[in-house]
Amino acid sequence: GQVYRLCVFPPCPTGSLLLAVRFYSSARAAPLIPSTALGVLLLLVSALLAYAGIRRSLRNASLLVALCLTLSALWSGYGVILILAGQGALPGPGDARDALVPGLATFTLALLLLAVVGFLCGEPLLGLVAAAVSLASAHEVALHCSSSLGASAVACGHLSVCLVGGYFALGRILRLLTKGSLALPGTDLSERKAQEQGRGSAGSTNPFAAPGLLLNMLSASVFCCRLLGVTHRLFLGHVPWLWAAGTYQIGICVLSYRAMDALMATAFGFTSILKFAAGYCLLYPAWQPEEPSLPTPFLVVFSILFAVLALFLSLQSPVDGLYLLVFVTYCIALACSPRGFFAGGPQGVAVAIFVSSALVALIHLYNVRARAKIPTGKGAVKALLARSSLLKLREGPDLHDPYLGYSKYADAEVLTYACSVLASFALTASGDPQAPLATVVIPWVVVAGGVLKLLGGSVAFARGKTLESSAFILYSVMWIIWGLTRYSGLCGTARSFHAATGIISFMLFNCFIVFCSVFLNMAWFFYSLTFMLIAVSFLLDAIHALPTGYDIAATLIFGLVSFYCFLAALASSTFEGCCLPMGRPMVQLSGVGAGTTKCLHLPARKASSVKRIADILRNGGTCGIPTDTVYVLVAACSRPDAVEKAHRSKRQAQDRPMSLWISSLKQLEPAKHLFTPLLWDFMEAAWPSPISLVIPRGEWVDFLGMKDSAKYVGTPQSVAIRIPDCSVTTHLIDLVGPIVVTSANPTGEADTTHHNQVYAKLGDKVDAVLCAGPSPENIASTVVDCTKIDSGSIGFFRVGIIPKSQV
């Protein structure tokens, strides 16, 4: 941990040091670092910065996350442009200037915003770094616009970043060497961590939203500079900025799912598609003299998807919802302009995107760290919907919990269904068979239908949706292969038997998905069935037997079904209740899908839930409960029938007997004379903790009122007993009395680490589950053999969370 904290800042001054060396070089002499080598080094530094930002984000929200990701995007785009210049891909005298200025101007403003927020929120070191890089970028823009300015100012700005980074590293080294007794001001991370924890995370925004918004500024700046005459033309040199922004936004889309912000993740997925399409349009004239054409119907559909997403996002944050309406205008402007991204109309809307992105990014940056948040209108929307009896927003800690298991990601089905809509409507574009690349279809099909759908399938797999993830991944592979084959001219005008064979293989896989979807719901059945129509159109086209209009009809049907699924997923993730039903399974089998009877799922944070669980246990029920380690299945010792039921439902093996839990040694006080002094002292020292002690069986068992339950607990010679270090569990034992415990999974399977897994593994065999989300630990307790403790030796049946040395 100390090494990681020490290495958070070094990538930042490393990149600045490389650029300082470049700009301190004499203008007449050859640069000390060639452009190609410097570009490669900046790409490596940008990767390290992105890694540092992501690692930091996994701990807590911080402006350092935004700074790392923003600088990483800056230096990745900068590095690729330097590589292009070093390889002679920017031969014109002003090409390097036109390529660099849009990105540098954007990051000047973006880092200035970060600096202002850093100073306001008590992070002066971060503010100094951001201000220094912003100043250096501004000087570099001025240097490109006026040759009378020297490069020393740029170098000084980057050198100041190195000084700040060196100061921070020195402070961390001093603190490490002196074991915390000496630390330079502003470098004590323990104080900063305490301040961050004191501010709390309640009401905090998605920490990745601000970098994503700043990347929207980057792509818009490319077209703003052309409209305002800052650059002379749109060309290959601008593609690195656009594609760097698109690539980073796909990464931020994934991280937003990690931050449980599904709607903003979907928005970033949408905007990344536009960036890849814009880069494709600017790249195409590099080998063809004419400009590519955009399919108008697709852009109209894209604007509709943006509008629907903006409507639902307004319920979460009206400011963000209004912001997305700018992209609705952008898509409409692109649809109305034959020249697409090269036309003045869309470039004018890009100016609005740049300004609005800066304002909304400033709000998100400030709200990440400040105690007093800038209002985004969420409270007004909640108050308005509170008066409605029809619509109620879904909220609470279990909002994104999957049905099976525990996932660190929110549901990505909204984005996945939307990508199906985009990919299907993109196929309706009729391009020139002799020049298939002249129509912009590949970015929509490959990025939307392929990359983002693959992302959605991966998230679905992480959430335990095996069938959905398999279908999404299969369809994404199909879109990528067929999109590249048909719309990049790989197969030309001829069709291949081998292509038809591959498509038939995909169709066979999809037949299995269609069959399985019968047991899922109606919407999924029609979704997979209509994709079969798409696959058939691919097959007919591969064998050169496609009827006129069939492919358009098939894609429209699949697109409309996908659009309904998109709306249904949005509604179910936003509102309580089923606004747009996905339908019941066409065939209901026992043990498949959601059963007709479910055990109670009660939140552990409520005292009334613990009391209800206690009532169920006293009445002979079995329950799954959270502990200080993993989830367990429990029954009351006073109910032999319940203990026998737990034994049967668990399919308990003879070599893994059930254990006994108490809440305090006071419950054993009447039988204290039956324990040796050494064993009693060891129990007092070891508990409460995740340590189970296997002690000799004796008359003390009768003092706990176990009656006929005793035959299911332990072995004839010994019993495992424990006091858990969990307030919920011990409170429950106080209400019920001693309980018999076993792990909440069939014998031989992995331990259960989430309340949803209890029902998934034991089904209707449990009467209730006390839900506390993910387990604090993924390892079970340590089981210590104390049967020979009086002879001076102990053994270990299982080494769990507590190591041998601590025992």
Side-chain angles (χ1 to χ4, degrees), residues 174-238:
L174 287 176
R175 180 174 175 81
L176 188 62
L177 294 178
T178 61
K179 297 182 178 179
S181 60
L182 178 62
L184 296 178
T187 63
D188 191 350
L189 292 180
S190 60
E191 293 180 1
R192 294 174 57 190
K193 183 177 180 181
Q195 292 174 359
E196 290 170 357
Q197 292 176 345
R199 290 174 183 177
S201 59
S204 62
T205 58
N206 174 8
F208 306 106
L213 295 167
L214 296 177
L215 291 173
N216 286 336
M217 291 173 57
L218 175 60
S219 60
S221 176
V222 171
F223 302 104
C224 293
C225 290
R226 177 65 192 96
L227 180 68
L228 300 176
V230 177
T231 56
H232 299 92
R233 62 191 177 103
L234 296 173
F235 70 117
L236 171 66
H238 295 137

Side-chain angles (χ1 to χ4, degrees), residues 35 308 582:
S35 295
V308 174
M582 297 287 282

Side-chain angles (χ1 to χ4, degrees), residues 286-327:
W287 70 83
Q288 294 293 336
E290 70 274 3
E291 298 172 356
S293 60
L294 294 174
T296 300
F298 168 83
L299 292 168
V300 174
V301 172
F302 207 178
S303 65
I304 294 174
L305 292 177
F306 262 119
V308 174
L309 182 62
L311 176 62
F312 281 88
L313 188 57
S314 298
L315 301 175
Q316 173 181 301
S317 173
V319 170
D320 294 331
L322 292 174
Y323 168 72
L324 280 191
L325 293 180
V326 184
F327 287 94

Side-chain angles (χ1 to χ4, degrees), residues 100-260:
L100 287 171
V101 165
L104 292 173
T106 299
F107 287 108
T108 298
L109 177 58
L111 292 168
L112 181 61
L113 296 177
L114 272 166
V116 171
V117 175
F119 287 124
L120 290 176
C121 297
E123 296 197 18
L125 279 179
L126 186 146
L128 284 174
V129 171
V133 181
S134 175
L135 186 61
S137 301
H139 278 126
E140 188 171 354
V141 172
L143 176 64
H144 286 300
C145 294
S146 176
S147 58
S148 60
L149 295 175
S152 299
V154 183
C156 286
H158 288 296
L159 188 59
S160 61
V161 177
C162 299
L163 294 176
V164 174
Y167 172 82
F168 181 83
L170 178 61
R172 297 305 302 160
I173 292 174
L174 287 176
R175 180 174 175 81
L176 188 62
L177 294 178
T178 61
K179 297 182 178 179
S181 60
L182 178 62
L184 296 178
T187 63
D188 191 350
L189 292 180
S190 60
E191 293 180 1
R192 294 174 57 190
K193 183 177 180 181
Q195 292 174 359
E196 290 170 357
Q197 292 176 345
R199 290 174 183 177
S201 59
S204 62
T205 58
N206 174 8
F208 306 106
L213 295 167
L214 296 177
L215 291 173
N216 286 336
M217 291 173 57
L218 175 60
S219 60
S221 176
V222 171
F223 302 104
C224 293
C225 290
R226 177 65 192 96
L227 180 68
L228 300 176
V230 177
T231 56
H232 299 92
R233 62 191 177 103
L234 296 173
F235 70 117
L236 171 66
H238 295 137
V239 175
W241 294 124
L242 294 171
W243 283 5
T247 302
Y248 274 80
Q249 276 203 330
I250 290 180
I252 289 174
C253 174
V254 177
L255 294 172
S256 295
Y257 282 121
R258 180 68 180 261
M260 298 299 171

Side-chain angles (χ1 to χ4, degrees), residues 617-655:
L617 292 176
R618 281 194 292 262
N619 291 329
T622 58
C623 300
I625 64 170
T627 68
D628 48 350
T629 54
V630 296
Y631 277 77
V632 295
L633 178 65
V634 301
C637 286
S638 58
R639 294 300 302 258
D641 54 337
V643 176
E644 182 182 359
K645 177 182 175 183
H647 189 275
R648 287 199 313 267
S649 62
K650 177 70 166 43
R651 301 195 298 271
Q652 193 77 15
Q654 295 299 322
D655 59 341

